[in-house]
Amino acid sequence: MQQPLDSQIPPGCPAHGNIQMYGPSFGADPEAHYAQLRSFGPSAPVDIAPDVQAELVTSYDAALYVLQNPASFVRDSRRWNALNEGRVPADSPALPMMGYRPNALFSDGAAHARLRQAVTDSLATVNEHQLIRQTQQSANYLISQFSTDIRGQAELMAEYAQPLPLLVFSDLFGCPPEIGDRVIAGISGIFEGTPGADEVLGGALTELIALKRRRPAADLTTRLMEHSAQLSDEEVLHQLVTLLSGGTAPLAAAIGTSSALYLGEDWQVGLPVEDAVSQTLWNYAPIANYAAHYPTHDVELGGRVVRANDPILVSFAAANTDPKLAEHREQLSAKAHLAFGAGPHACPAKDPAFMIAVTAVEALLNRLPDVELRVPFKALTWAPSPWSRSLVTLPIRFSPRAVPQAAEPAASSPAQAPQQQATPSAPPVTGPSRTGTHAAPHSKGGLFTRFLAWTRGE
């Protein structure tokens, strides 16, 4: 049995020797866990959730081998041995992440090609300049809600990084106000584990699709529905869910971490925001451990045999920081990281995602040029999830600002915010509740309704 990771692995680690990839210990120091996993070779046995075992690939080369070899490694989780044999708890937190859904992510071969082509072609119609404007407008609205706080303090994850992608996607989907509110409530509830969130999201998207059948428009939903692949309404719904789940939480993590890096004590003054986003994708991969594959036959990975249809997960976080890359990482392309995956299932929206993250950070720096962290970067805490690498909170301070004009876009040139050391004695803000001028008292509806009203100057 592999020896435990000193004090990093908590008592009660499974008797079968798998390394536990969840909980406070993992969240506090995932890099130490990855270092221990590497001692097994290019992959290692892990518990990704209580009573859920998987093989986790930590090597960059082995990750590429799995991701780029669809003949031997498929994505359809209906093959999952333990699930089919009743060995996965019905309430396991791994099921929402690994359980089968009829979308491109869990499809293979011709079925995958058909669904992915519809998604890729629809995303290709999104105008780059329009996307930047949508991101700037969403950023300006959110900043306007906390920038006038008389204390000059905010919690950037809850008040900016997390809601911003939700506003952008609701806009891209062509949601009317009330449906957009429910889409945001549903997808947020799914990530937060809120009972009934699946039904809320499904109902909202069903109504949205029915609306676009009656009144098609120049939006992503309509483009999916009108694609030559002739997706059914159910297929459209599941591709929209995939776009939401794959595009909002990881983007929120990227925006938060990139902002924290740029404002952190170790950031080199003068480097552009793009560098902070790239460093985030390399060193703090927003989707940390995911992409379950099921070998079609028994396979060997660095001397370890994985049985056919047992899950193999890819640690994008560990692969990106593989020590074997250290010698020649400087020669690699800045885009050679695996944060967006690789092979036939690579993220189809990696360029728009990068653009949204950069625009969001730049908008913050332009609107609040004296913004700084309230605690050092190294003192920030991370969510104890095996799936994602995301900050729990991101407390900032700034000089309070006047409310900006509703439709005024942020400056388009990269901002260079002054680098100042954060004072660690200031306690972090733990939630969005604050004094000062928040949303107007007469504002009604959810986040998307209030955002649309703000853009109209109401």
Side-chain angles (χ1 to χ4, degrees):
M1 180 185 299
Q2 189 73 17
Q3 293 299 311
L5 178 63
D6 299 327
S7 61
Q8 299 298 329
I9 302 297
C13 194
H16 47 71
N18 289 7
I19 292 179
Q20 187 172 300
M21 299 292 289
Y22 57 89
S25 176
F26 172 74
D29 196 356
E31 288 79 11
H33 286 66
Y34 298 141
Q36 175 72 356
L37 289 168
R38 291 187 183 107
S39 68
F40 286 85
S43 70
V46 301
D47 277 8
I48 201 70
D51 299 315
V52 179
Q53 292 82 47
E55 191 78 6
L56 184 68
V57 174
T58 58
S59 156
Y60 184 90
D61 290 339
L64 282 178
Y65 172 68
V66 171
L67 293 167
Q68 296 178 339
N69 191 353
S72 296
F73 304 96
V74 298
R75 298 296 297 272
D76 189 339
S77 59
R78 289 174 294 186
R79 292 172 168 263
W80 187 0
N81 286 328
L83 184 62
N84 293 331
E85 295 164 7
R87 293 187 283 115
V88 177
D91 60 349
S92 172
L95 281 177
M97 304 300 294
M98 296 173 62
Y100 176 79
R101 297 175 188 268
N103 58 33
L105 195 62
F106 292 93
S107 302
D108 301 289
H112 168 257
R114 171 176 169 268
L115 295 174
R116 182 180 173 87
Q117 195 64 52
V119 172
T120 302
D121 290 347
S122 300
L123 286 170
T125 65
V126 176
N127 181 276
E128 175 181 321
H129 299 293
Q130 180 185 358
L131 182 61
I132 290 175
R133 286 195 298 271
Q134 286 175 318
T135 304
Q136 289 174 335
Q137 194 170 51
S138 299
N140 290 343
Y141 166 70
L142 294 169
I143 294 169
S144 78
Q145 303 304 291
F146 64 76
S147 61
T148 54
D149 178 80
I150 58 176
R151 299 175 304 162
Q153 297 179 2
E155 199 291 281
L156 208 62
M157 291 304 296
E159 299 182 71
Y160 188 67
Q162 291 167 355
L164 192 151
L166 296 171
L167 290 176
V168 173
F169 272 79
S170 296
D171 207 1
L172 285 174
F173 284 5
C175 293
E178 192 271 339
I179 290 180
D181 287 343
R182 285 190 288 138
V183 165
I184 289 175
I187 192 65
S188 299
I190 288 173
F191 285 117
E192 295 164 4
T194 305
D198 267 322
E199 289 76 12
V200 171
L201 179 61
L205 291 177
T206 298
E207 288 185 33
L208 177 64
I209 292 167
L211 173 64
K212 299 304 176 182
R213 289 284 180 205
R214 299 192 305 270
R215 296 199 299 271
D219 53 55
L220 202 54
T221 306
T222 301
R223 290 168 189 139
L224 270 174
M225 296 169 65
E226 294 180 344
H227 191 269
S228 59
Q230 297 183 324
L231 273 59
S232 67
D233 286 359
E234 182 183 13
E235 288 175 325
V236 172
L237 185 150
H238 283 288
Q239 308 326 302
L240 291 176
V241 171
T242 304
L243 287 168
L244 276 172
S245 57
T248 54
L251 254 179
I255 292 168
T257 305
S258 300
S259 300
L261 279 173
Y262 193 93
L263 299 174
E265 58 273 15
D266 294 332
W267 189 253
Q268 183 178 336
V269 178
L271 291 179
V273 168
E274 285 88 345
D275 282 16
V277 177
S278 291
Q279 185 170 323
T280 293
L281 297 174
W282 271 106
N283 298 331
Y284 305 91
I287 301 177
N289 306 288
Y290 193 51
H293 289 72
Y294 301 85
T296 57
H297 51 84
D298 291 359
V299 297
E300 183 177 333
L301 293 174
R304 290 182 51 79
V305 176
V306 182
R307 190 166 60 117
N309 298 323
D310 278 352
I312 297 176
L313 300 179
V314 176
S315 179
F316 301 109
N320 280 349
T321 56
D322 186 341
K324 293 182 179 178
L325 290 181
E327 294 180 3
H328 58 277
R329 181 164 152 179
E330 294 299 326
Q331 283 72 50
L332 291 175
S333 163
K335 297 182 179 180
H337 59 77
L338 299 181
F340 293 123
H345 284 274
C347 175
K350 56 186 177 181
D351 291 335
F354 188 88
M355 188 185 309
I356 290 170
V358 170
T359 303
V361 178
E362 288 180 350
L364 175 74
L365 300 174
N366 283 317
R367 286 295 180 194
L368 304 175
D370 64 347
V371 64
E372 62 180 7
L373 299 182
R374 290 172 54 200
V375 297
F377 178 84
K378 293 176 182 177
L380 295 170
T381 57
W382 302 86
S385 166
W387 315 106
S388 63
R389 180 70 157 154
S390 180
L391 290 167
V392 175
T393 61
L394 182 52
I396 60 168
R397 60 168 157 251
F398 49 86
S399 298
R401 296 292 191 270
V403 178
Q405 294 295 318
E408 182 184 353
S412 57
S413 59
Q416 299 294 332
Q419 303 294 302
Q420 301 179 27
Q421 291 291 335
T423 304
S425 58
V429 176
T430 57
S433 177
R434 303 183 319 276
T435 57
T437 59
H438 204 318
H442 61 274
S443 295
K444 296 180 180 180
L447 174 63
F448 195 58
T449 294
R450 297 195 301 271
F451 165 66
L452 292 177
W454 180 83
T455 63
R456 295 191 295 264
E458 297 176 3

